[in-house]
Amino acid sequence: MVQLQKEFSGRMELNSSPPVDGVVAAADEMPETDVYVVTSGGILIPANSKILASASPVLENIIQRPRKRQSSERKIPILGVPYDAVSVFIQFLYSSRCSKEQMDKYGIHLLALSHVYMVPQLKLRCTKGLVEQLNVDNVVDVLQLARLCDAPHLYLKCMKLLSNNFKAVEETEGWKFMQNHDPYLELEILQFIDESESRKKRTRRFREEQSLYIELSEAMDCLQHICSEGCTSVGPSDMDPSEKKGPCSKFSTCHGLQLLIKHFGICKKRVKGGCWRCKRMWQLFRLHSSICYQPDVCRVPLCREFKLKVVQERQRGSDLLWRLLVRKVASAKAILSLPKRKREEEPRMDMDHQEMSSFKL
């Protein structure tokens, strides 16, 4: 018994001044110790109650509790984690510092302590540190801790790593243990993976549709450009045939549209409606007319005629899908006219009406 008391006394003397950033401060610079933190194994860490209370509201409540005997020493039990982790925790309460080596070694324990004793600054440091340490082998354990400690950022990072490396995680001991002891978490993970795959499909479909609207918007610009100014081999009727125009900035789209216009001018099947290329050209004329705001001076063929037809259809309330397509193309045209930074800030278009994906040049 005497030997044990000497051992504890020696440890207390060694820890009478909590280290600050790995360096033990001079005795006259440290506040007086008036409370002891009891760690696992019975080791005591002397500390100052005012410093602990100012850093943690939970410790403040513990310190302010009335004691049964005024003469008894004040002791705060912090059990369930290694002594070294508690020592680093107390050090952080004194100095608000924690080295990377300490975080790498005791990050999981420090996250639990920072959550239980409500030390948000340490909790944030632990969250960032554990994110950097995430791998296939420890992700399940860290995920469980993130749920218990209410760390949403860490939880989301774990879920994403699980979703992207699910086959490898399934082979780990952590996953097998979780399957046997926490089936609810397993269900939660599987639901997240399913929702993640659904989001990827919706995003892929949205990008495909957005690409279609942008392509149609560029086609409208090219049609206006060809019918007003001319481009390479096709131009307005009053343009001198010998005058050759150079390719425009959107020549990849403009060239295909010129070929379509040439075919439309010489095709004999279009009268009977048997040519799909001519049908596509009619659709482009109609689409242009739907978004044109100057039909009286527009030089695109049939613009005014289609404009009148569109007004009549709108009055009858028919062809809702076509009107939706017109609105999407007009929106894409407006977004393309914005600077790149503002364009990225624009809200996403709806991803409904997948039938329109068949409308391609």
Side-chain angles (χ1 to χ4, degrees):
M1 186 66 179
V2 175
Q3 183 179 359
L4 186 60
Q5 288 178 345
K6 289 182 179 179
E7 182 180 352
F8 278 158
S9 177
R11 287 175 178 171
M12 288 168 57
E13 289 175 3
L14 289 173
N15 294 289
S16 59
S17 299
V20 179
D21 197 24
V23 179
V24 178
D28 56 351
E29 295 178 359
M30 295 301 298
E32 182 182 356
T33 59
D34 56 356
V35 66
Y36 294 96
V37 176
V38 183
T39 65
S40 299
I43 302 176
L44 304 180
I45 301 178
N48 180 269
S49 59
K50 292 182 179 179
I51 292 179
L52 299 187
S54 64
S56 166
V58 177
L59 291 175
E60 182 180 15
N61 290 336
I62 295 174
I63 291 169
Q64 290 179 353
R65 287 176 189 169
R67 288 176 288 173
K68 295 180 180 179
R69 292 178 300 174
Q70 292 295 326
S71 60
S72 62
E73 295 178 340
R74 285 193 290 184
K75 296 180 180 178
I76 302 174
I78 300 182
L79 309 174
V81 294
Y83 157 76
D84 292 333
V86 179
S87 178
V88 174
F89 175 66
I90 300 299
Q91 169 192 312
F92 187 88
L93 298 184
Y94 267 74
S95 63
S96 298
R97 297 178 184 177
C98 181
S99 67
K100 187 178 183 306
E101 292 75 14
Q102 291 171 333
M103 185 60 63
D104 292 343
K105 194 171 183 180
Y106 305 113
I108 290 179
H109 304 298
L110 292 175
L111 177 60
L113 291 171
S114 65
H115 175 70
V116 171
Y117 293 99
M118 299 178 64
V119 186
Q121 188 179 359
L122 178 59
K123 189 173 183 178
L124 182 62
R125 288 280 307 276
C126 292
T127 299
K128 292 181 179 179
L130 289 174
V131 167
E132 295 175 358
Q133 299 176 38
L134 273 181
N135 55 56
V136 170
D137 294 322
N138 68 7
V139 65
V140 175
D141 296 330
V142 177
L143 175 63
Q144 291 175 312
L145 182 64
R147 288 172 75 222
L148 293 172
C149 295
D150 189 24
H153 178 68
L154 181 60
Y155 174 88
L156 185 59
K157 290 291 184 180
C158 291
M159 281 294 198
K160 287 183 177 180
L161 180 63
L162 267 164
S163 178
N164 295 332
N165 303 273
F166 184 65
K167 293 295 183 183
V169 174
E170 272 190 312
E171 303 299 324
T172 63
E173 292 297 325
W175 177 266
K176 295 172 183 176
F177 181 86
M178 182 267 298
Q179 278 185 310
N180 296 329
H181 296 84
D182 196 349
Y184 180 79
L185 178 58
E186 181 185 7
L187 178 61
E188 196 174 315
I189 293 171
L190 295 177
Q191 287 176 339
F192 179 89
I193 294 174
D194 183 62
E195 292 172 1
S196 178
E197 290 299 320
S198 299
R199 284 194 298 271
K200 288 179 182 178
K201 290 179 181 179
R202 288 196 301 269
T203 302
R204 188 161 49 246
R205 186 179 65 183
F206 167 77
R207 287 176 179 171
E208 291 172 355
E209 292 182 1
Q210 189 76 346
S211 176
L212 168 64
Y213 302 140
I214 292 174
E215 183 181 353
L216 289 172
S217 175
E218 290 180 349
M220 295 300 98
D221 291 340
C222 290
L223 184 61
Q224 182 83 30
H225 160 65
I226 291 171
C227 296
S228 302
E229 306 169 1
C231 184
T232 59
S233 59
V234 180
S237 56
D238 56 353
M239 189 179 77
D240 186 358
S242 62
E243 182 183 352
K244 291 188 177 181
K245 295 267 187 177
C248 62
S249 59
K250 300 177 181 177
F251 187 69
S252 58
T253 302
C254 195
H255 178 65
L257 194 55
Q258 289 182 62
L259 296 177
L260 200 58
I261 292 173
K262 286 181 179 180
H263 171 83
F264 184 78
I266 62 174
C267 181
K268 298 179 180 179
K269 292 182 181 180
R270 64 184 173 91
V271 178
K272 299 180 180 180
C275 178
W276 66 268
R277 290 185 179 179
C278 294
K279 286 181 180 178
R280 190 53 42 87
M281 196 67 238
W282 279 107
Q283 288 177 323
L284 292 175
F285 282 142
R286 181 186 177 191
L287 182 59
H288 162 80
S289 176
S290 299
I291 62 176
C292 181
Y293 295 102
Q294 296 178 322
D296 295 332
V297 296
C298 182
R299 304 193 65 180
V300 176
L302 304 174
C303 183
R304 291 187 61 190
E305 289 79 357
F306 272 119
K307 180 69 74 174
L308 294 174
K309 186 177 179 181
V310 167
V311 172
Q312 294 172 359
E313 290 177 348
R314 188 173 299 168
Q315 291 174 348
R316 294 196 301 265
S318 59
D319 215 349
L320 296 176
L321 189 60
W322 176 264
R323 285 190 292 174
L324 179 61
L325 173 63
V326 171
R327 189 164 66 249
K328 297 288 189 180
V329 174
S331 299
K333 187 179 180 67
I335 291 174
L336 284 174
S337 65
L338 295 173
K340 184 176 180 182
R341 182 179 61 82
K342 293 205 171 199
R343 194 185 312 165
E344 293 172 350
E345 295 174 358
E346 284 292 313
R348 288 185 172 185
M349 295 179 173
D350 293 334
M351 294 184 287
D352 298 331
H353 301 281
Q354 191 176 4
E355 302 92 337
M356 281 186 267
S357 62
S358 61
F359 193 100
K360 294 181 180 178
L361 291 177

